Amino acid sequence: MAPPSPAVAASEPVLYRLANVTKTYRMGDVDVHALRGVDLELDARELVVLLGASGSGKSTLLNILGGLDQPTTGSVQFRGEELSTLSDRRLTEFRRFHVGFIFQFYNLIPSLTAHENVELVTDIARTPMTADEALEVVGLSDRRSHFPAQLSGGEQQRVAIARAIAKRPELLLCDEPTGALDYKTGVLVLDVLETIARELGTTAIIITHNAPVAAMATRVLTLADGRLVADERNAQPVPAKELDW
Amino acid sequence: MTVLSTKERRDLIALRGRALSIIVVVAVGIASFIAMRGNWDALETARDRFYEQSRFGDVFASAQRAPRSVVKHLEAIDGVASVDARVSQGVTLPIGDGEPIAGVAIGVRGDQPGTLNVMRVVRGHAPEIGRSDQVVLLEAFAHARDIHLGDEIAVVVLGRMKRLRVVGIGVSAEYLFTMPPGEMMPDVARFAVLWLDETALSVAADMEGSVNRFSARVQPGTSAERVAKEFDRVLHDYGGLGTVTRSRQQSNFILESELVGLRNMSFAMPMIFLAVAALLLNLIMKRIVREHRGQIATLAAVGYSSSEIAWSYGRIALLVGAAGAIGGVALGWALGIGLTDIYRDFFALPGLVFKLRPGAAIGALVASCLAALIGAVGALRSILALAPAEAMRPPAPQKYGHGAFASFSLLSPMLRMTLRELARKPLRTLGTVTAVASAVALLVMARWFDDAMTLMIDTQFRSALRDDVTVNLHEAVPVNQLRMFEHLPGVIRAEGLRVAPIRIRRGNVSRDIAIFGHDADGRLRRVLGKYGDVADVPPDGVLLTSELARILNLSVGERVEVDFREGDFRTRHLTITGFVDETFGLSAHADFKTLTGWLEQEPRVSTVLLRLEERTPSPELLTRLREIPAVAGVSSGRHAVEQMEAQSGEMMVVFGVILSLFAASITVGVVYNMAKAALASRARDLASLRVLGFHRTEVAQTLGGEILAIVTMALPVGMLMGRYVMLPAMMLSADPEMYRLPIILSGRTLLFATAVTVAATVMGFLLVNRELKRLDPISALKTRE
Ligand SMILES: Nc1ncnc2c1ncn2[C@@H]1O[C@H](COP(=O)(O)OP(=O)(O)OP(=O)(O)O)[C@@H](O)[C@H]1O
Ligand SMILES: [Mg+2]
């Protein structure tokens, strides 16, 4: 089973179809139910904001969507393809070719420069932009040969975004991308994400603790205690630049 | 070049100190392999070539006197390819005004086809036919005695002094090693080999028309043992003195046992180092993978497969292994060439050139990489097992139980902290203790030879060889001649010893050895065990070296067949009355009267032991001794020891120093790595301590505790390991038929091992301390992960 090609993708509006997804962690004698049956359909080109209290299962859900983790039960289909039964190899290919991750703590490789951190992805992707192009997008061309330790938090997060978008992913998964940033920098980062998602036609899922951020989304999902408790569509998303919190 | 390899390179650079310390350990192990293996190769190649060129025989025999026609009978033996028969004669060289030296003169008659054991002239020329005044001298002897081409030497043949001109210096496959008669260690300076024109020698030795020395080559596929038996049968009527196959030919036997030892060591030594390197890599790689959890997870998240990631880290380990191998091959090459220079003095083999075989270098590379991978495999497996999502969260805090040390509440908090750290990772603790202990054991090994020799020489001269001068006679003389020796100047006591060649056998196993007849009232020579205990020689029966008993599978009270190669040449069944743990060679001991009773009507002595007023023989005494026709050679024990120390002593000192440096490299490597690991894992704590106002020395102390504990444990463990594992293993690789040195540890050795280990520890620690100085509190606090 080869990963679906983008050509097929355009004709299929439904990107993800999740049915009764649960995730249980076994900690010694106790079962921790991180997800307790999530049903969900996501369309292509949506900008989703995922809200919820700490421990409600947001990261768990995002990891499952991104092929970093497998559900305990239930089905996760990406363009009709069942992810939950994929082999480790296939899952790696899924991540390699389709998903861009952005993490709360940037997760740059400290021993690589900004440019090289992006190259990490362009080395293995199928139709990537160049690392320089990607850095250009996030406005960091002049910092290309700096190491993460020589960059501020916001700059590091922008490098992480450049790394995530360089492969032209169909999916951008962002786990609290602004969690460690101040307001101004946060807005800057969200603006970059929004612009890229729009220009590349990428579906983006953003986890945040900042409820006001939801205003920029076309769809807002809320998790509580491992269950999807709210699913709102937003016809008039506010540009990230105009967000206020 | 991919970015992943850039990352590997930078990771490696960040690790440089620790990587380098492992590279050194690998390099040292590989160097020892390359140096020893290359010399083994060189020796084997040179030996094979030389044996072939000089047509070295498969079978060697001697008899008292046989007509030349006996050759036809020998040639007729099934499987014999060619037979060489010669004249040889025991001679004495009264060199200068020193002790007379025993030697052998061998007849040569030009380059006839079919000649075996061809002597090769390296300088000058062979004796001209018909010239009775020309001689070729064995190179090693000439070198040791500073005798040169054109020199004139005096040689006593059958009591007649002859003056001979040295016209050639030669080498021979039969005499790569020489051993003075009645001694157990090779000594090139005290046994002369001379080649004379055969006709001239026949006249001088009263052997015209006769031969007494035989050698044969056998046809391919023929058993040399069988041919040797046939030789014994044919030569029996001519006073056969026994036939040996090549494997028991004295020089070859010594060479072989050196080669076996060298080969075994060339495998055993590198094993220790590679094992330590693997252990260090294991520690480092585990730590890196733990530190890099986040990075590894990130790589997985952006689409690298876990095997790609694992392989990327595996390459770091491989690079360390490969770098060590390359450095080791280079170092080994240099060491090997140096070692060959030493061996060239020790083995008189022409064409001995160190050669680095590509196979050995490739083998070294493969072994190093394999060791590196074995070391890394645990860490790599944990990369493969790491679920990418799980890796996104920080590792769970280490579990510190109160554990076994909870009750030691009396201990200082520092000590408790250290002990907990050690107990928390028992495998790691075990590994590091073992690594340092093996270094200690190597140090013990480095010093042991000296200890063993000292003890041996000590006990030998205090209790066994109590004569000041040993006089070997060409032929046994009646006991009453002892009185003549007693009257020599400076002599206060003369005792006789009867030594005779015998073949001792049981079933198919046999050995050609000497039997010693000890006078019951004798005081100057006693039979000694390994540890200096005196054994009583029984009035009846024989006492055997216990190694011989093992070879022949004999026990006390049993009877053994003994063929006498002197006197009446009869075979007797003798009762074994006991065993003795002698250090060198294989021998049998009997009471003097009993032995001479077996051998002859009238008791005779073949060796005279002298006790002098002054311990060293006066020139006057030596002059008188040189004038006695029956005297074959004279040696003084002290001289022998000096010789031995000069010869093997120098070599052992070089070996000892190199081995000590090697061992120290392990300790430095382990200590440096441990301190470095402790520094890395506690960099934040340590920086915090600094920020809180602790002095650097106080911070350094918290690092030192663990190391101190490890080294303290490793010292006794290593000494025991050296005593009970390494030394016995090393003795296994030495030929027990040649020598069985006692396995002992002296206080000096223990002190030495401790001192070197402590010094290496301090050095490893100082290297880290330097980095501790540079530890910038701010940056340490900023680091995450
Ligand atoms: N590897 C794991 N082992 C055990 N329990 C886990 C594991 N990962 C997550 N959990 C548990 O599952 C639950 C959901 O975790 P998750 O990380 O998805 O929450 P979250 O909504 O992302 O919270 P936050 O906003 O704090 O990041 C939590 O109770 C968490 O403790
Ligand atoms: Mg989370």
Side-chain angles (χ1 to χ4, degrees):
Chain A
M1 180 193 74
S5 68
V8 182
S11 63
E12 168 75 66
V14 178
L15 193 65
Y16 271 113
R17 191 170 278 127
L18 277 66
N20 196 25
V21 168
T22 70
K23 180 73 184 178
T24 310
Y25 294 104
R26 219 186 152 77
M27 298 290 288
D29 293 337
V30 225
D31 280 344
V32 180
H33 299 280
L35 295 176
R36 299 170 185 264
V38 173
D39 298 293
L40 179 65
E41 275 188 11
L42 288 178
D43 295 337
R45 291 167 173 274
E46 278 187 302
L47 198 160
V48 181
V49 164
L50 190 54
L51 296 173
S54 186
S56 57
K58 303 183 296 293
S59 296
T60 305
L61 181 59
L62 199 76
N63 287 344
I64 288 172
L65 289 172
L68 275 180
D69 211 348
Q70 295 280 31
T72 309
T73 64
S75 131
V76 180
Q77 287 182 4
F78 178 76
R79 293 194 200 292
E81 207 80 63
E82 184 60 47
L83 291 187
S84 60
T85 56
L86 284 190
S87 69
D88 206 49
R89 226 179 78 113
R90 290 283 177 213
L91 223 53
T92 300
E93 284 175 3
F94 171 69
R95 294 198 298 270
R96 177 181 293 202
F97 299 125
H98 301 280
V99 188
F101 278 100
I102 295 164
F103 312 98
Q104 180 177 359
F105 294 107
Y106 334 131
N107 286 45
L108 297 181
I109 305 296
S111 55
L112 296 178
T113 63
H115 187 261
E116 289 162 344
N117 261 287
V118 180
E119 268 189 308
L120 214 45
V121 164
T122 60
D123 267 357
I124 55 170
R126 263 204 298 241
T127 51
M129 47 181 99
T130 66
D132 284 320
E133 281 165 1
L135 283 172
E136 176 90 59
V137 172
V138 297
L140 279 178
S141 299
D142 52 336
R143 310 300 296 271
R144 67 190 298 279
S145 48
H146 287 188
F147 285 94
Q150 298 165 316
L151 298 171
S152 78
E155 286 159 351
Q156 289 185 52
Q157 192 60 299
R158 275 147 69 195
V159 174
I161 293 172
R163 185 176 65 187
I165 58 152
K167 69 172 76 161
R168 303 182 206 274
E170 288 155 78
L171 205 57
L172 262 178
L173 301 179
C174 320
D175 197 344
E176 299 182 45
T178 60
L181 305 177
D182 65 30
Y183 164 74
K184 243 184 84 181
T185 322
V187 166
L188 196 73
V189 165
L190 289 174
D191 180 46
V192 170
L193 275 177
E194 184 184 51
T195 314
I196 291 162
R198 194 174 53 241
E199 285 175 2
L200 293 180
T202 301
T203 306
I205 304 173
I206 301 171
I207 293 179
T208 181
H209 277 124
N210 285 320
V213 173
M216 71 181 277
T218 60
R219 190 163 172 197
V220 181
L221 302 175
T222 311
L223 275 178
D225 198 18
R227 289 196 178 83
L228 205 54
V229 291
D231 181 354
E232 298 154 34
R233 294 189 187 257
N234 183 1
Q236 249 95 50
V238 179
K241 277 205 192 86
E242 291 163 30
L243 288 178
D244 198 2
W245 70 81
Chain B
M1 187 137 126
T2 63
V3 187
L4 206 56
S5 57
T6 307
K7 170 173 144 36
E8 274 158 44
R9 207 180 57 236
R10 300 230 175 97
D11 287 344
L12 195 57
I13 290 170
L15 276 175
R16 60 190 174 276
R18 304 182 64 184
L20 193 68
S21 66
I22 299 175
I23 288 173
V24 168
V25 173
V26 174
V28 160
I30 292 304
S32 66
F33 170 73
I34 292 289
M36 289 193 281
R37 179 74 202 192
N39 271 288
W40 183 73
D41 275 343
L43 286 166
E44 271 219 331
T45 309
R47 177 201 64 186
D48 289 347
R49 188 174 339 109
F50 189 47
Y51 277 8
E52 211 35 60
Q53 279 171 0
S54 53
R55 297 177 47 77
F56 191 45
D58 296 313
V59 165
F60 301 82
S62 51
Q64 287 186 314
R65 175 191 292 267
R68 209 165 251 296
S69 58
V70 78
V71 171
K72 283 200 290 295
H73 297 291
L74 295 174
E75 279 171 344
I77 294 170
D78 190 27
V80 168
S82 57
V83 173
D84 181 276
R86 301 184 185 217
V87 178
S88 77
Q89 172 65 44
V91 296
T92 307
L93 273 68
I95 286 184
D97 45 31
E99 309 152 341
I101 293 157
V104 63
I106 301 166
V108 287
R109 57 201 136 93
D111 266 338
Q112 292 183 9
T115 306
L116 302 183
N117 310 316
V118 181
M119 176 270 298
R120 187 208 280 186
V121 178
V122 291
R123 278 192 298 285
H125 58 82
E128 287 162 67
I129 295 186
R131 291 287 292 264
S132 59
D133 59 342
Q134 298 187 342
V135 66
V136 172
L137 212 50
L138 184 68
E139 185 181 33
F141 177 77
H143 181 74
R145 288 288 169 177
D146 205 25
I147 301 173
H148 302 278
L149 220 53
D151 286 359
E152 190 177 76
I153 56 168
V155 178
V156 178
V157 186
L158 290 185
R160 290 188 294 270
M161 169 92 83
K162 293 175 147 296
R163 304 224 144 251
L164 303 176
R165 173 84 48 203
V166 178
V167 297
I169 300 290
V171 289
S172 158
E174 277 182 290
Y175 293 104
L176 293 176
F177 285 95
T178 53
M179 205 131 85
E183 292 191 23
M184 298 299 181
M185 288 288 270
D187 186 347
V188 293
R190 291 198 302 113
F191 188 76
V193 182
L194 298 77
W195 286 271
L196 277 78
D197 172 61
E198 182 160 80
T199 321
L201 181 62
S202 297
V203 173
D206 214 0
M207 285 283 291
E208 287 147 290
S210 303
V211 282
N212 55 6
R213 181 185 179 94
F214 309 89
S215 184
R217 281 202 143 193
V218 301
Q219 282 157 3
T222 303
S223 150
E225 266 83 26
R226 190 180 54 73
V227 171
K229 279 211 180 72
E230 290 297 304
F231 260 62
D232 272 341
R233 192 180 50 74
V234 173
L235 294 174
H236 183 266
D237 297 339
Y238 306 103
L241 297 171
T243 310
V244 291
T245 57
R246 186 191 277 195
S247 63
R248 301 241 145 243
Q249 195 270 343
Q250 192 185 58
S251 162
N252 182 65
F253 180 69
I254 299 171
L255 178 65
E256 282 307 305
S257 69
E258 292 286 341
L259 280 175
V260 168
L262 193 59
R263 196 195 53 203
N264 292 350
M265 284 295 278
S266 79
F267 285 115
M269 276 272 287
M271 284 299 182
I272 296 172
F273 287 87
L274 290 185
V276 170
L279 172 89
L280 290 179
L281 261 173
N282 178 283
L283 299 181
I284 290 192
M285 292 306 291
K286 274 197 180 136
R287 158 160 298 281
I288 293 184
V289 167
R290 208 161 48 233
E291 280 171 5
H292 285 197
R293 255 173 87 92
Q295 297 187 30
I296 291 164
T298 307
L299 290 174
V302 304
Y304 285 88
S305 70
S306 49
S307 50
E308 277 172 310
I309 303 167
W311 178 225
S312 163
Y313 281 88
R315 274 191 303 245
I316 295 182
L318 273 183
L319 220 69
V320 168
I326 291 165
V329 168
L331 180 65
W333 201 337
L335 272 178
I337 288 171
L339 195 60
T340 307
D341 280 342
I342 296 179
Y343 277 154
R344 214 172 273 133
D345 286 345
F346 191 68
F347 301 89
L349 264 176
L352 188 58
V353 194
F354 180 78
K355 209 170 44 189
L356 180 63
R357 286 238 208 114
I362 291 168
L365 188 69
V366 170
S368 310
C369 290
L370 214 64
L373 279 186
I374 289 171
V377 77
L380 301 186
R381 281 230 313 263
S382 72
I383 292 181
L384 292 177
L386 208 66
E390 195 182 314
M392 300 307 296
R393 48 192 79 238
Q398 311 270 23
K399 290 188 200 105
Y400 285 86
H402 292 289
F405 298 101
S407 47
F408 296 144
S409 47
L410 289 178
L411 300 176
S412 78
M414 244 285 289
L415 194 54
R416 258 185 293 167
M417 215 168 81
T418 304
L419 291 180
R420 267 189 208 139
E421 192 69 32
L422 293 175
R424 201 168 54 82
K425 299 239 174 85
L427 271 183
R428 196 191 66 172
T429 305
L430 189 72
T432 41
V433 169
T434 312
V436 177
S438 63
V440 175
L442 282 177
L443 290 169
V444 166
M445 226 165 89
R447 285 267 325 140
W448 160 79
F449 188 78
D450 217 49
D451 281 356
M453 283 315 237
T454 310
L455 173 82
M456 204 201 62
I457 288 165
D458 215 56
T459 53
Q460 290 285 312
F461 288 106
R462 207 182 45 240
S463 341
L465 315 173
R466 290 145 48 104
D467 50 316
D468 299 314
V469 166
T470 312
V471 181
N472 286 305
L473 306 177
H474 284 300
E475 266 181 326
V477 299
V479 177
N480 55 24
Q481 296 229 1
L482 278 178
R483 228 169 301 141
M484 176 188 78
F485 286 94
E486 232 155 29
H487 290 124
L488 290 173
V491 174
I492 46 178
R493 189 183 169 86
E495 281 179 14
L497 201 63
R498 183 71 166 102
V499 188
I502 57 169
R503 168 167 292 186
I504 187 162
R505 30 192 181 99
R506 184 189 200 175
N508 275 331
V509 193
S510 70
R511 290 291 182 270
D512 291 326
I513 59 167
I515 186 166
F516 292 83
H518 299 266
D519 192 338
D521 302 324
R523 277 187 253 153
L524 299 183
R525 201 50 84 79
R526 294 192 295 200
V527 184
L528 274 201
K530 240 194 307 201
Y531 296 94
D533 39 315
V534 178
D536 285 326
V537 177
D540 267 318
V542 288
L543 209 56
L544 295 184
T545 311
S546 49
E547 179 65 20
L548 187 58
R550 201 189 53 73
I551 293 168
L552 299 178
N553 191 20
L554 289 167
S555 44
V556 173
E558 284 187 282
R559 288 161 84 77
V560 65
E561 264 183 285
V562 174
D563 304 335
F564 281 81
R565 260 71 194 267
E566 226 178 277
D568 62 1
F569 281 81
R570 272 177 51 187
T571 299
R572 290 186 171 76
H573 293 266
L574 306 180
T575 306
I576 315 287
T577 47
F579 300 123
V580 53
D581 281 331
E582 288 171 304
T583 308
F584 294 105
L586 307 172
S587 29
H589 303 274
D591 177 69
F592 179 78
K593 287 210 181 67
T594 314
L595 176 62
T596 51
W598 288 328
L599 283 167
E600 56 239 345
Q601 251 84 50
E602 173 200 21
R604 287 167 173 266
V605 298
S606 53
T607 300
V608 181
L609 311 170
L610 301 180
R611 191 53 168 285
L612 308 179
E613 281 159 21
E614 314 274 324
R615 314 283 337 236
T616 42
S618 62
E620 208 187 336
L621 172 65
L622 291 175
T623 309
R624 292 286 300 277
L625 281 172
R626 282 199 298 273
E627 286 164 358
I628 302 175
V631 171
V634 171
S635 60
S636 76
R638 220 141 272 109
H639 186 143
V641 174
E642 279 165 22
Q643 279 292 325
M644 195 156 82
E645 294 210 309
Q647 252 191 18
S648 47
E650 183 194 0
M651 191 152 106
M652 291 323 282
V653 165
V654 174
F655 272 138
V657 168
I658 291 178
L659 201 57
S660 304
L661 284 177
F662 282 10
S665 79
I666 290 185
T667 308
V668 172
V670 171
V671 167
Y672 176 77
N673 271 286
M674 278 179 44
K676 203 55 207 204
L679 183 68
S681 71
R682 288 189 239 148
R684 267 169 91 77
D685 306 352
L686 298 177
S688 314
L689 289 179
R690 293 278 284 135
V691 172
L692 290 175
F694 282 89
H695 289 295
R696 199 165 49 234
T697 43
E698 289 166 315
V699 175
Q701 275 167 18
T702 70
L703 285 182
E706 212 175 312
I707 292 162
L708 204 66
I710 295 272
V711 172
T712 310
M713 283 189 274
L715 277 170
V717 172
M719 288 165 188
L720 293 175
M721 214 161 113
R723 167 66 182 80
Y724 291 102
V725 183
M726 288 212 198
L727 289 180
M730 194 160 89
M731 286 315 292
L732 276 185
S733 80
D735 192 316
E737 293 195 28
M738 257 190 76
Y739 57 85
R740 298 158 295 274
L741 290 177
I743 295 176
I744 49 146
L745 293 187
S746 72
R748 254 175 39 174
T749 291
L750 300 186
L751 212 66
F752 171 79
T754 308
V756 173
T757 304
V758 168
T761 304
V762 169
M763 209 175 117
F765 192 69
L766 284 182
L767 286 175
V768 176
N769 197 35
R770 239 180 25 160
E771 292 171 37
L772 194 60
K773 270 185 206 165
R774 291 199 302 253
L775 182 75
D776 168 12
I778 314 280
S779 76
L781 288 179
K782 263 174 35 183
T783 56
R784 229 175 37 82
E785 274 183 343

Coordinates of all heavy atoms in Angstrom, one line a residue, chain A residues 17 38 40 55 82 87 89 100 102-103 127-128 136-137 144 152 164 174 184 186 197-198 212 214:
Chain A
R17 N -10.9 10.5 9.0 CA -12.1 10.0 9.5 C -11.8 9.1 10.7 O -11.1 8.1 10.6 CB -12.9 9.2 8.4 CG -14.3 8.8 8.8 CD -15.1 8.2 7.7 NE -15.6 9.2 6.8 CZ -15.5 9.2 5.4 NH1 -14.7 8.3 4.9 NH2 -16.0 10.1 4.7
V38 N -13.3 8.9 20.4 CA -13.4 10.1 19.7 C -13.9 9.8 18.3 O -13.3 8.9 17.6 CB -12.0 10.8 19.6 CG1 -12.1 12.1 18.7 CG2 -11.6 11.3 21.0
L40 N -14.7 11.7 14.6 CA -14.3 13.0 14.1 C -14.1 12.9 12.6 O -13.5 11.9 12.1 CB -13.0 13.5 14.7 CG -12.4 14.8 14.3 CD1 -13.4 16.0 14.7 CD2 -11.1 15.0 15.0
G55 N -4.2 17.7 30.3 CA -4.5 16.3 30.6 C -5.8 15.8 29.9 O -6.2 14.7 30.1
E82 N -6.4 3.3 6.4 CA -6.4 3.0 7.8 C -5.0 3.2 8.4 O -4.1 2.4 8.0 CB -6.9 1.6 8.0 CG -7.1 1.2 9.5 CD -8.0 2.1 10.2 OE1 -9.1 2.4 9.7 OE2 -7.7 2.6 11.3
S87 N 2.2 -0.6 9.4 CA 3.5 -1.0 10.0 C 4.3 0.2 10.4 O 4.0 1.3 10.0 CB 4.3 -1.9 9.1 OG 4.8 -1.1 8.0
R89 N 7.2 1.0 9.5 CA 7.8 1.5 8.3 C 6.8 2.4 7.5 O 7.2 3.6 7.1 CB 8.2 0.4 7.4 CG 9.6 0.5 6.8 CD 9.8 -0.8 6.0 NE 9.1 -0.6 4.7 CZ 9.8 -0.5 3.6 NH1 11.1 -0.6 3.5 NH2 9.1 -0.3 2.4
G100 N 3.9 17.7 8.8 CA 4.9 18.6 9.4 C 4.5 18.8 10.9 O 3.4 19.2 11.2
I102 N 5.1 20.7 14.6 CA 5.7 21.8 15.3 C 5.4 21.6 16.8 O 4.2 21.4 17.2 CB 5.1 23.1 14.8 CG1 5.5 23.4 13.3 CG2 5.6 24.3 15.7 CD1 4.7 24.4 12.6
F103 N 6.4 21.7 17.6 CA 6.3 21.3 19.0 C 6.4 22.5 19.9 O 6.9 23.6 19.5 CB 7.4 20.3 19.4 CG 7.5 19.2 18.5 CD1 8.5 19.2 17.5 CD2 6.7 18.1 18.5 CE1 8.7 18.1 16.6 CE2 6.8 17.0 17.7 CZ 7.8 17.0 16.7
T127 N 9.0 16.3 -2.5 CA 9.1 17.5 -3.4 C 9.2 18.7 -2.5 O 8.3 19.6 -2.4 CB 7.8 17.7 -4.2 OG1 6.7 17.5 -3.3 CG2 7.7 16.6 -5.2
P128 N 10.4 18.8 -1.8 CA 10.5 19.9 -0.8 C 10.9 21.2 -1.5 O 11.3 21.2 -2.6 CB 11.7 19.4 0.0 CG 12.5 18.6 -0.9 CD 11.6 18.0 -1.9
E136 N 13.2 31.7 4.3 CA 12.7 32.9 3.7 C 11.3 33.2 4.1 O 10.9 34.2 4.6 CB 12.8 32.9 2.2 CG 12.3 34.0 1.4 CD 13.4 35.1 1.2 OE1 14.4 34.7 0.6 OE2 13.2 36.2 1.6
V137 N 10.5 32.1 4.0 CA 9.1 32.2 4.4 C 8.9 32.6 5.8 O 8.0 33.5 6.1 CB 8.4 30.8 4.2 CG1 6.9 30.8 4.7 CG2 8.4 30.4 2.7
R144 N 20.4 31.9 9.0 CA 20.5 30.6 8.5 C 21.7 29.7 9.2 O 21.5 28.6 9.4 CB 20.6 30.5 7.0 CG 21.9 31.1 6.4 CD 21.9 31.2 4.9 NE 21.7 30.0 4.2 CZ 22.7 29.1 4.0 NH1 23.9 29.4 4.4 NH2 22.5 28.0 3.3
S152 N 16.6 33.2 19.7 CA 15.6 33.4 20.7 C 14.6 32.4 20.6 O 14.5 31.7 19.6 CB 15.0 34.8 20.6 OG 14.1 34.8 19.6
A164 N 9.0 22.4 9.4 CA 7.8 21.6 9.2 C 7.2 21.9 7.8 O 6.6 21.0 7.2 CB 6.8 22.0 10.3
C174 N 0.5 21.2 15.1 CA 1.2 22.1 16.0 C 0.8 21.9 17.4 O -0.4 22.2 17.8 CB 1.0 23.5 15.6 SG 1.0 23.8 13.8
K184 N 3.5 39.1 21.5 CA 3.9 39.6 20.1 C 4.5 38.5 19.3 O 4.1 38.3 18.1 CB 4.9 40.7 20.3 CG 4.4 42.1 19.8 CD 5.4 43.1 19.8 CE 6.3 43.1 18.6 NZ 7.4 44.1 18.7
G186 N 4.2 35.3 19.7 CA 3.2 34.3 19.4 C 2.3 34.7 18.2 O 2.1 33.8 17.4
A197 N -0.3 27.9 5.7 CA -1.4 27.0 5.5 C -2.3 27.4 4.3 O -2.7 26.6 3.5 CB -2.3 26.9 6.8
R198 N -2.5 28.7 4.2 CA -3.3 29.2 3.1 C -2.6 29.1 1.8 O -3.1 28.5 0.8 CB -3.7 30.7 3.4 CG -4.8 31.2 2.5 CD -5.2 32.6 2.8 NE -4.1 33.5 2.8 CZ -3.7 34.2 3.9 NH1 -4.3 34.0 5.1 NH2 -2.7 35.0 3.8
P212 N -8.6 32.7 22.9 CA -8.8 33.7 21.9 C -8.2 33.3 20.5 O -8.7 33.7 19.5 CB -8.0 34.9 22.4 CG -8.0 34.7 23.9 CD -8.0 33.2 24.1
A214 N -8.7 30.7 19.1 CA -9.7 30.0 18.3 C -10.3 30.8 17.3 O -10.8 30.3 16.3 CB -10.8 29.4 19.3

